[in-house]
Amino acid sequence: MRAVRPLRLIVRTLSEICLTVGAVIVLFVAYVLFWTGVKAAGATDGEIVRLQEEWTRLPLEQAPSGAPPEPVRAYTSGKPFAVMYIPRFGADWDWPVLEGTSAGTLKKGLGHYQGTARPGETGNFAVAGHRRTYGDPFKDVPRLKPGDAVILTDGTTWFTYRVKRAPYRTVPSDVAVIDPVPRRSGFDGPGRYLTLTTCEPEWGSSHRLVVWAHLDATRPVTDGKPEAFHS
């Protein structure tokens, strides 16, 4: 009978360890699935509010003909400069675009690959976003189809891009996907392009999903939202 007691102690200890490990796993999953989304919602809303406040101070009227052009203001690392909308993802899908793709930046919104073009410029405006966690901004990227609209505004102009082809799967080291003329994009020369990148598979990061689009139209914000919001 005495030998039974150590066995019971071992079983009880192992049971307690299993329960503790299980509780930690449950808490971690809750953090990943829920709490990072809550944090992202607050962060992204704050970044959009900051942008809107800045935009209220922007001059929306065109400069007189012959006036010297305004100097191009450099983007600030980690700070927002545009808002992106993808109608395919729903009417309430709107995300700030910030400069840079660091882990901290991508917790607050989408990240612009530094050194790539600005919205509307000749070249490739390349943007990264989480597939899952921190609000799941690019969770539905596989749903994008040729012709779908990706819309951005910088406070003065609306930029409407159209998706060129279905999402392309590649490896993280394939950095050529954000070249000025991305290889395998179907574009055959310089133009005004957009690239979206996110992780693949949905809960992993062994690969990347890439979406390419081309600039379809621009319009001043004073003319109202583009028709692409309703197409």
Side-chain angles (χ1 to χ4, degrees), residues 163-177:
V163 173
K164 171 70 173 179
R165 50 169 288 181
Y168 169 69
R169 189 172 187 264
T170 189
V171 293
S173 59
D174 186 7
V175 296
V177 298

Side-chain angles (χ1 to χ4, degrees), residues 5 18 21 60 62 88 93 98 110 119 137 146 153 155 161 176 190 194 203 210 229:
R5 290 182 179 178
C18 290
V21 171
L60 297 181
Q62 296 292 325
R88 167 72 66 182
W93 194 98
L98 299 89
L110 308 176
T153 182
Y161 291 84
L194 165 72
W203 289 103
V210 183
F229 273 103

Side-chain angles (χ1 to χ4, degrees), residues 28-38 132-136 203:
F28 176 74
V29 171
Y31 173 80
V32 170
L33 294 180
F34 176 72
W35 186 242
T36 61
V38 171
R132 282 293 194 173
T133 71
Y134 295 101
D136 308 336
W203 289 103

Side-chain angles (χ1 to χ4, degrees), residues 30-160:
Y31 173 80
V32 170
L33 294 180
F34 176 72
W35 186 242
T36 61
V38 171
K39 290 174 65 178
T44 56
D45 288 348
E47 298 298 337
I48 291 176
V49 167
R50 178 189 300 179
L51 271 179
Q52 291 172 339
E53 290 175 349
E54 291 180 3
W55 291 345
T56 61
R57 299 189 293 269
L58 289 176
L60 297 181
E61 298 298 327
Q62 296 292 325
S65 177
E70 291 288 331
V72 176
R73 187 178 63 174
Y75 294 151
T76 302
S77 182
K79 302 298 182 183
F81 60 86
V83 178
M84 180 182 291
Y85 306 83
I86 302 181
R88 167 72 66 182
F89 297 166
D92 59 349
W93 194 98
D94 58 341
W95 281 80
V97 183
L98 299 89
E99 179 68 356
T101 55
S102 69
T105 297
L106 293 179
K107 291 178 181 179
K108 299 184 290 183
L110 308 176
H112 171 234
Y113 285 93
Q114 293 177 311
T116 65
R118 293 169 174 246
E121 281 187 344
T122 297
N124 185 10
F125 174 58
V127 176
H130 280 295
R131 180 87 174 272
R132 282 293 194 173
T133 71
Y134 295 101
D136 308 336
F138 281 167
K139 174 176 67 71
D140 292 326
V141 156
R143 295 177 52 207
L144 288 173
K145 301 177 180 179
D148 280 348
V150 180
I151 306 166
L152 293 113
T153 182
D154 62 0
T156 62
T157 305
W158 289 105
F159 305 91
T160 301

